[in-house]
């Protein structure tokens, strides 16, 4: 593979002196950085020279954000697993609550057997308290 073909597939960062990436407050500064990539060089050449500083800032910003977010993939998996576990727990809890509600409703309102029908029968039935009064 020729040197030109190798460099056209990936961008090679080559220092022009010692490149320095410094941070001061919220400002990131890159000094003396040189990239060797014919495709990128062609693209940058097509951008008007006055717009190149903004292009470089956007390129670095996008690249740094991509690198920062690459580590978050593992965090997303942890959050997803925890969320799935929480959903399973909530589903089981809702099922138990539904069973308890059904049992309570049956105990209180079941025809003839529930507390409410028996209480109503004891007051309003043929031999209930109301009839005796």
């Amino acid at each position: 593979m020729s040197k030109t073909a190798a460099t056209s597939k990936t961008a090679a960062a080559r220092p022009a002196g010692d490149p320095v990436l410094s941070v001061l407050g919220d400002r990131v500064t890159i000094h003396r950085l040189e990239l060797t990539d014919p495709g990128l060089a062609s693209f940058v050449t097509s951008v008007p020279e006055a717009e190149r500083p903004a292009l470089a800032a956007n390129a670095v910003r996008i690249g740094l954000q991509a690198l920062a977010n690459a580590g978050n993939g593992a965090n997303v998996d942890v959050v997803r697993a925890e969320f799935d576990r929480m959903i399973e727990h909530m589903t089981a809890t809702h099922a138990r609550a539904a069973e308890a509600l059904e049992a309570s409703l049956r105990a209180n309102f079941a025809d003839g057997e529930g507390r409410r029908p028996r209480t109503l029968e004891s007051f309003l039935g043929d031999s209930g308290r109301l009839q005796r009064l």
Side-chain angles (χ1 to χ4, degrees):
M1 182 180 300
S2 72
K3 183 177 178 184
T4 305
T7 57
S8 65
K9 290 189 177 191
T10 60
R14 197 173 67 218
D18 291 328
V20 176
L21 179 67
S22 59
V23 178
L24 182 60
D26 63 350
R27 184 179 300 261
V28 177
T29 305
I30 301 174
H31 298 279
R32 297 180 303 273
L33 177 67
E34 179 181 305
L35 298 176
T36 302
D37 185 304
L40 292 178
S42 175
F43 168 70
V44 172
T45 302
S46 71
V47 174
E49 203 165 320
E51 296 174 18
R52 291 179 187 174
L55 174 68
N58 285 336
V60 170
R61 180 177 293 109
I62 290 168
L64 288 175
Q65 285 174 344
L67 290 172
N69 291 332
N72 292 338
N75 294 339
V76 169
D77 292 339
V78 169
V79 170
R80 182 176 290 124
E82 185 63 23
F83 188 72
D84 289 343
R85 188 190 67 75
M86 183 182 72
I87 287 174
E88 289 174 14
H89 178 70
M90 283 179 37
T91 301
T93 301
H94 286 155
R96 286 192 305 272
E99 290 170 6
L101 178 61
E102 183 179 354
S104 177
L105 290 173
R106 285 190 189 283
N108 286 305
F109 298 108
D111 290 342
E113 304 164 9
R115 284 184 218 128
R116 298 297 179 248
R118 286 184 308 204
T119 302
L120 289 173
E121 182 65 31
S122 70
F123 283 104
L124 304 174
D126 291 339
S127 59
R129 291 183 188 170
L130 185 61
Q131 189 68 330
R132 285 183 275 173
L133 286 174

